[in-house]
Amino acid sequence: MPARKNVRIWVWAHFRDVNDQMDTAFAQFEKWGVAGVKIDFLDRSDQWMVNFYRTAAKKAAEHHLMLDFHGAFKPDGMRRTYPNVLTR
């Protein structure tokens, strides 16, 4: 039924799990037909985390996945480069 209505699944994940398995997980999510990933518990804004946002957005785009960064710092214009990043 969901396929007939064009409904797709989003996966919720902790940023540490995504970081540890990003390449494998995003490839698998794409195979499963997942629409996107809500990455949560990003409650910091140091340089490491800023780099994580960019890496996750780029790799998600390569796998045709949308992203929702939950618990994120304020928007910084990244959506202009990566339109697959929907919300924060």
Side-chain angles (χ1 to χ4, degrees):
M1 171 86 100
R4 288 186 290 176
K5 302 232 181 222
N6 199 25
V7 174
R8 294 174 57 204
I9 300 294
W10 278 72
V11 173
W12 174 89
H14 194 286
F15 84 88
R16 288 188 191 119
D17 297 327
V18 173
N19 185 60
D20 292 345
Q21 306 173 56
M22 192 177 311
D23 294 321
T24 305
F26 285 1
Q28 187 64 52
F29 295 161
E30 182 180 22
K31 286 180 189 174
W32 286 342
V34 168
V37 182
K38 176 187 280 281
I39 302 175
D40 204 351
F41 302 107
L42 302 155
D43 301 320
R44 53 192 246 208
S45 58
D46 58 0
Q47 190 61 53
W48 186 93
M49 187 58 76
V50 171
N51 292 338
F52 171 82
Y53 280 68
R54 300 275 175 192
T55 300
K58 180 179 186 299
K59 290 184 179 191
E62 291 169 0
H63 291 285
H64 307 100
L65 296 168
M66 293 183 285
L67 287 182
D68 172 7
F69 290 121
H70 190 256
F73 59 80
K74 66 183 181 179
D76 64 352
M78 183 169 55
R79 288 178 28 193
R80 292 178 58 93
T81 304
Y82 297 104
N84 60 311
V85 176
L86 299 181
T87 61
R88 291 187 180 205

